């Protein structure tokens, strides 16, 4: 079979990538599976003496049952150098990172395309719930048909090079339909398997993970203060990397009313607390902005901007910033807990036209808003 019908698919051993494999087979593709071993956790090795992670074993077993070639790629060292280091670095800057966004662009698709070329595959595929369309000879990433499972938010950094060779077999299908499909195929255990919603390399609290990766962290960030909007000290905190914008629980400080983290200053090691209303804003600055099509972002057309995965996009307009890759988002209604380090994804009619990283809100001071 020629390379035009050969597709390399990322396999995690779960229901979505398994379903994607079988759908591609039915569509006439020669499917090859690739499972990346990125980060080992104790739960990946449930049996004594086990040397291969359970998810890789399950992916390989699925591949054997449906009769496709399968490869396991050990990329743990590179994953630690790139994704893990970026994750810890961002917290040390006072930001709250979104490692999945970085991983998809600079890691998963990097290796998928590299291995696809090696294995003579024209296409790569994943089990993400997203779709791809074309506009003016450019590829556009669109939301998946299932609004509850749409994962386009995590994929906004994929560029033309990646999208031109990507297939999303699940883009037009709902999760419930996938469950029924896999059940009919005889893979009941895939349907019953509980899916993890956490970051893949963090088994519990991210704070414990930071301490494991940065043994001197507690000593380096201890001794900071909670402050109010006027700068008055309210009490001591445990270190700025252990907090995130919008956090209310776990502050371990009693002030007689619910208080939230409204700002983090890593230079002064201060955490500003305020009431819920102090989390609201109509404007934010985004940096490292990427346009899907050159020149598609403008100041005249309304857009919808999504600032976290589990929240609805908010109608907004855009203003150009002082540098080419810096824009100001002007929301049409209040946005809550705008968090530096998180992704702001810009949509029009369910199509991603751009995105950026939420910057420190203090940058708003240089703009007349």
């Amino acid at each position: 079979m020629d390379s035009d019908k050969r597709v390399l698919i990322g396999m995690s051993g779960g229901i979505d990538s398994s379903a994607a494999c079988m759908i591609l087979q039915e569509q006439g593709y020669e499917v090859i599976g690739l499972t990346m071993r990125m980060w080992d956790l104790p739960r990946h090795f449930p049996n004594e003496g086990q040397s291969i992670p359970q998810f890789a074993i399950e992916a390989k077993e699925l591949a054997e049952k449906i009769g496709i070639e399968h490869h396991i790629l050990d990329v743990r060292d590179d994953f630690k150098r790139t994704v893990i280091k970026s994750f810890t670095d961002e917290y040390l800057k006072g930001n709250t990172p979104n490692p999945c966004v970085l991983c998809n662009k600079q890691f998963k698709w990097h290796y998928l395309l590299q291995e696809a070329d090696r294995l003579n595959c024209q296409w790569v595929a994943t089990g993400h719930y997203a779709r791809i369309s074309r506009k003016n000879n450019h590829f556009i990433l669109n939301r998946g048909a299932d609004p509850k499972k749409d994962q386009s938010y995590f994929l906004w950094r994929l560029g033309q090079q990646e999208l031109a060779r990507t297939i999303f077999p699940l883009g037009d299908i709902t999760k419930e339909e996938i469950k029924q499909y896999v059940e009919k195929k005889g893979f009941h255990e895939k349907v019953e398997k509980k899916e993890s919603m956490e970051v893949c390399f963090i088994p519990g609290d991210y704070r414990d993970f930071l301490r494991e990766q940065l043994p001197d962290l507690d000593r380096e960030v201890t001794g900071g203060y909670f402050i109010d909007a006027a700068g008055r000290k309210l009490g001591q905190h445990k270190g700025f990397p252990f907090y995130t914008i919008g956090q209310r629980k776990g502050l371990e400080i009693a002030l007689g009313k619910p208080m939230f983290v409204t700002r983090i200053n890593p230079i002064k090691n201060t955490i500003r607390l305020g009431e819920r209303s102090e989390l609201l804003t109509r404007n934010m600055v985004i940096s490292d902005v990427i346009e899907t099509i050159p020149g598609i972002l403008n100041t005249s057309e309304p857009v919808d901007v999504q600032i976290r995965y589990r929240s609805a996009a908010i109608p907004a307009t855009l203003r150009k910033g002082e540098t080419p890759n810096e824009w100001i988002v002007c929301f049409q209604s209040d946005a809550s807990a705008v968090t530096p380090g998180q992704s702001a994804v810009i949509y029009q009619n369910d199509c991603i036209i751009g995105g950026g990283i939420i910057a420190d809100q203090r940058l708003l001071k240089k703009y007349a808003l």
Side-chain angles (χ1 to χ4, degrees):
M1 187 175 288
D2 63 38
S3 64
D4 286 347
K5 295 299 288 186
R6 283 169 63 89
V7 56
L8 181 68
I9 181 166
M11 294 182 67
S12 66
I15 182 174
D16 293 330
S17 61
S18 299
C21 286
M22 292 183 279
I23 290 171
L24 287 168
Q25 269 192 317
E26 291 178 353
Q27 292 175 348
Y29 288 95
E30 181 182 359
V31 181
I32 299 173
L34 177 71
T35 300
M36 298 184 204
R37 184 176 179 180
M38 298 182 290
W39 192 260
D40 289 345
L41 293 174
R43 68 166 183 262
H44 295 157
F45 303 88
N47 302 311
E48 187 176 350
Q50 186 172 336
S51 60
I52 299 175
Q54 189 65 26
F55 65 85
I57 292 174
E58 292 175 5
K60 195 169 192 67
E61 289 175 346
L62 185 282
E64 290 174 353
K65 287 179 181 178
I66 65 174
I68 67 172
E69 186 179 329
H70 180 261
H71 301 267
I72 298 174
L73 188 66
D74 189 339
V75 289
R76 287 174 291 175
D77 289 343
D78 194 18
F79 189 82
K80 183 170 185 176
R81 283 193 302 267
T82 56
V83 178
I84 300 298
K85 187 172 189 309
S86 173
F87 182 82
T88 56
D89 286 351
E90 285 298 296
Y91 272 107
L92 292 177
K93 295 175 185 176
N95 296 332
T96 302
N98 193 325
C100 297
V101 172
L102 173 69
C103 180
N104 283 327
K105 166 70 174 181
Q106 296 188 17
F107 206 84
K108 286 183 181 177
W109 259 261
H110 168 75
Y111 280 109
L112 276 171
L113 290 172
Q114 175 180 289
E115 291 301 294
D117 290 339
R118 185 178 69 83
L119 295 166
N120 193 34
C121 296
Q122 173 62 31
W123 305 101
V124 300
T126 68
H128 286 95
Y129 289 81
R131 294 180 283 188
I132 298 172
S133 62
R134 297 191 69 169
K135 179 179 180 181
N136 300 332
N137 294 319
H138 285 80
F139 293 92
I140 303 289
L141 186 65
N142 305 302
R143 290 190 185 278
D146 187 343
K148 295 179 181 178
K149 287 296 295 181
D150 166 51
Q151 294 170 306
S152 59
Y153 175 83
F154 293 118
L155 302 170
W156 67 271
R157 295 190 77 166
L158 297 183
Q160 295 299 302
Q161 180 181 355
E162 292 83 17
L163 296 177
R165 294 179 62 184
T166 296
I167 302 171
F168 291 124
L170 310 188
D172 292 310
I173 312 173
T174 67
K175 183 71 173 191
E176 285 306 311
E177 290 170 332
I178 287 299
K179 289 180 179 180
Q180 294 169 16
Y181 173 80
V182 173
E183 187 79 59
K184 288 179 181 177
K185 288 287 187 178
F187 294 98
H188 179 73
E189 74 282 358
K190 299 291 184 188
V191 180
E192 293 296 312
K193 185 179 179 181
K194 186 178 180 181
E195 294 184 280
S196 174
M197 300 300 291
E198 63 193 21
V199 175
C200 70
F201 54 83
I202 300 179
D205 193 315
Y206 83 90
R207 299 165 183 85
D208 295 331
F209 181 81
L210 287 179
R211 290 184 174 104
E212 289 175 5
Q213 298 302 309
L214 305 168
D216 295 329
L217 182 60
D218 281 301
R219 179 177 55 80
E220 292 174 356
V221 300
T222 191
Y225 286 93
F226 288 119
I227 60 173
D228 61 16
R232 293 185 291 261
K233 294 178 180 178
L234 303 174
Q236 281 198 321
H237 62 69
K238 294 182 177 180
F240 70 85
F242 305 136
Y243 302 86
T244 188
I245 302 297
Q247 180 179 337
R248 179 176 69 87
K249 295 181 179 180
L251 300 180
E252 299 182 7
I253 184 171
L255 297 171
K257 55 186 175 182
M259 297 292 275
F260 302 80
V261 174
T262 62
R263 187 164 295 179
I264 297 170
N265 189 325
I267 297 174
K268 296 181 179 180
N269 195 11
T270 56
I271 306 288
R272 183 190 294 184
L273 302 181
E275 297 184 49
R276 186 185 298 273
S277 60
E278 294 177 62
L279 288 170
L280 304 178
T281 184
R282 288 292 184 99
N283 304 289
M284 72 176 181
V285 178
I286 57 176
S287 59
D288 300 323
V289 174
I290 295 172
E291 295 182 278
T292 303
I293 300 174
I296 196 171
L297 297 184
N298 61 69
T299 58
S300 60
E301 295 186 35
V303 296
D304 297 301
V305 180
Q306 188 169 337
I307 61 172
R308 59 181 64 89
Y309 175 50
R310 292 295 185 185
S311 68
I314 304 171
T317 56
L318 303 174
R319 285 181 52 177
K320 290 183 178 179
E322 291 184 353
T323 61
N325 68 341
E326 186 173 280
W327 288 72
I328 304 97
V329 177
C330 304
F331 295 108
Q332 300 302 301
S333 58
D334 288 333
S336 180
V338 168
T339 306
Q342 290 285 289
S343 290
V345 185
I346 305 167
Y347 291 85
Q348 273 186 340
N349 300 321
D350 288 343
C351 299
I352 293 180
I353 61 171
I357 304 299
I358 298 172
D360 193 313
Q361 282 291 82
R362 285 173 292 189
L363 289 178
L364 286 171
K365 292 178 181 178
K366 65 182 180 179
Y367 297 108
L369 297 170

